[in-house]
Amino acid sequence: MDSARLFRATAVTLSAFGLLVAGCTEGGTTLSASATASRAVASTEELKEYYGQRLSWRACGTPGFECATLRAPLDYAKPHGDEVRLAVSRVRATGPGKRLGSLLVNPGGPGGSAVGFLQGYAGIGYPAKVRARYDMVALDPRGVARSEPIECLDGPEMDAYTQVDQTPDDLRERHLLTGSYERFARGCAKRSGKLLPHVSTVEAARDMDILREVLGDRRLNYVGASYGTFLGATYAELFPSRTGRLVLDGAMDPSLPTAELNRDQTAGFQRAFDSFAADCVRQPDCPLGTGSPADAAHRLTAFFRRLDTRPVATGENRLLGESLATTGVIAAMYDETTWPQLRAALKSAMDGDGAGLLSLADSYYEREADGTYSNLMYANAAVNCLDQPPAFTTTAEVAAAVPSFEKASPVFGRGLAWASLNCVNWPAKPTGAPHRIEARGAAPILVVGTTRDPATPYKWAESLAAQLSSGTLLTYDGDGHTAYGRGSDCVDTTINAYLLAGTLPPDGKRCR
């Protein structure tokens, strides 16, 4: 686990796209939308060059999809200065039925590729009724994937970074951990220093509004998962009169202080582990015993402690230590369909073969077989460290907070507390602050929460739905991260009715 706030999500989790963790958000006071931007913004007249541009669509990798490049100002306070070029993809509405416009999708992160999500899942896997009526569209946010990606470390450097001990036992190990964060930040400054101050969520939301206009849509229709809910809510706050049908699935709470968000997420992963453990101890192949879920947690934490001093082989030149093993377990918490894979990986690791858990950790970090990494973790840190100030600024503050994190999660708490230091030496100063999002004047917004969501705890969805002046809450009583497209006919039917006809469920409707 490495960054102190990773809200990853999607319905394709490990195999194709994402997870979420080692992350949280920061916070404190209530501020207006303009305060979150912290910089002046150019007038509509000054931005007309961008709002009036035409996209040049072309065929791209996946059959049926088109791609284009959207231009936006690097700095919205200086519209005549440098530009960023952003990757856009779409697949046209298939019919029958009247076209409803564009439906923009974002899978979360921050740092997840929306274009990859569209072409790998949403554009072919969203309900046929929705794809029939909407052009499905994705925009990789600035700094992400195909949109001038943030770069920080090379493959070997990232390998070393992911193996640093996240649960320091003494002063020397604390220095090693903080040193790894400093090297990460220096790498980002060296490779992407010009872009780092301009990848905030507010700027990404402004980019989406340019895309809305260029696509010819009067209002933005949008499905955002995990961090994508914060992006969508930010859009509604900035442009309430241009908000169409917004689905915010696996919602974040933008009003909470950082440390509280971190602890909430830590408790969320413990809740998910408890659910996994309760299932595991009923299975004949459970490597954590056949006792209670608490017994299973004790066995796992004892295994992590052994790995801290005696890592196991993986069949390659990387050993499985405590950090990578913990990341592998966390990766499997995003989707209950991964639980059998986790049981097998844990059993093998306890028998001395760490390849299975290493594979899960690699999927979390988006590491390829050739040792290269996607830019997910780099963009994740860049956006998070810009959006809000760090939760803790010294090792002493973290050490004092560790007991409260361990109370929230005996299994993951210590590591997630120390992960909160990653933004301390960030080369770009934060431009945002925690605040309530009300988006007064916005059209009705559907907020979706999953009761045992590990990465975006259910109470965050309750809070965001209550904050939004036009929010309606839909509850999925289940496991895993996010709800749409995860097998609940009740959830999917309800969201489809909203996207296709604007029909909202009763506030607080529950699905299984």
Side-chain angles (χ1 to χ4, degrees), residues 17-345:
F17 185 70
L19 15 159
L20 168 166
V21 80
C24 327
T25 25
E26 298 101 36
T29 58
T30 299
L31 297 176
S32 67
S34 59
T36 68
S38 84
R39 286 191 290 263
V41 176
S43 67
T44 302
E45 178 66 22
E46 290 176 301
L47 292 170
K48 67 179 182 179
E49 172 189 354
Y50 295 104
Y51 276 91
Q53 68 186 286
R54 295 175 64 88
L55 295 181
S56 178
W57 294 100
R58 62 191 182 278
C60 52
T62 307
F65 290 84
E66 299 175 295
C67 293
T69 301
L70 181 78
R71 295 182 298 109
L74 174 68
D75 185 342
Y76 273 91
K78 300 176 181 178
H80 304 301
D82 293 330
E83 295 181 342
V84 290
R85 294 181 176 271
L86 310 176
V88 183
S89 184
R90 74 177 176 188
V91 58
R92 291 284 199 173
T94 59
K98 180 182 178 182
R99 179 181 172 277
L100 296 174
S102 305
L103 180 64
L104 197 64
V105 296
N106 183 282
S113 172
V115 171
F117 176 66
L118 176 74
Q119 295 181 359
Y121 173 68
I124 55 177
Y126 263 31
K129 291 180 180 179
V130 173
R131 291 184 286 114
R133 306 285 299 282
Y134 285 100
D135 291 346
M136 302 289 293
V137 180
L139 170 70
D140 274 354
R142 50 177 61 204
V144 173
R146 300 162 177 84
S147 293
E148 304 199 12
I150 296 289
E151 298 293 344
C152 300
L153 304 176
D154 62 24
E157 289 171 336
M158 189 64 181
D159 279 347
Y161 179 73
T162 63
Q163 295 176 70
V164 173
D165 188 352
Q166 293 279 336
T167 57
D169 299 312
D170 53 35
L171 188 60
R172 183 187 70 86
E173 291 187 347
R174 289 187 188 185
H175 286 160
L176 289 173
L177 179 60
T178 56
S180 73
Y181 290 144
E182 290 170 2
R183 287 190 296 277
F184 187 100
R186 285 199 302 270
C188 298
K190 179 180 178 181
R191 293 173 170 87
S192 301
K194 182 178 178 180
L195 186 58
L196 283 185
H198 300 290
V199 292
S200 70
T201 297
V202 167
E203 288 161 312
R206 294 190 181 281
D207 295 340
M208 291 200 307
D209 194 56
I210 291 176
L211 178 60
R212 173 202 58 76
E213 179 72 17
V214 171
L215 291 172
D217 292 320
R218 189 170 63 88
R219 294 176 178 266
L220 181 81
N221 301 307
Y222 174 85
V223 178
S226 197
Y227 160 80
T229 67
F230 180 46
L231 179 58
T234 299
Y235 181 89
E237 182 180 35
L238 293 170
F239 307 105
S241 66
R242 302 173 192 171
T243 298
R245 296 170 186 171
L246 265 60
V247 177
L248 308 180
D249 183 13
M252 286 177 54
D253 182 350
S255 71
L256 295 179
T258 308
E260 187 174 344
L261 282 166
N262 286 2
R263 274 189 291 266
D264 281 354
Q265 192 180 58
T266 298
F269 278 96
Q270 182 65 40
R271 190 178 302 112
F273 174 79
D274 290 343
S275 189
F276 161 75
D279 178 77
C280 183
V281 297
R282 296 194 297 266
Q283 308 299 327
D285 62 341
C286 182
L288 301 177
T290 57
S292 67
D295 292 336
H298 289 313
R299 286 175 180 263
L300 183 60
T301 52
F303 175 58
F304 286 161
R305 284 195 296 270
R306 291 200 303 274
L307 290 176
D308 191 25
T309 55
R310 300 193 301 277
V312 299
T314 64
E316 54 178 279
N317 62 359
R318 291 180 297 155
L319 295 175
L320 182 80
E322 180 185 16
S323 290
L324 284 172
T326 304
T327 300
V329 173
I330 280 176
M333 295 297 99
Y334 286 84
D335 189 341
E336 66 272 24
T337 64
T338 314
W339 291 356
Q341 181 183 352
L342 177 59
R343 292 198 305 270

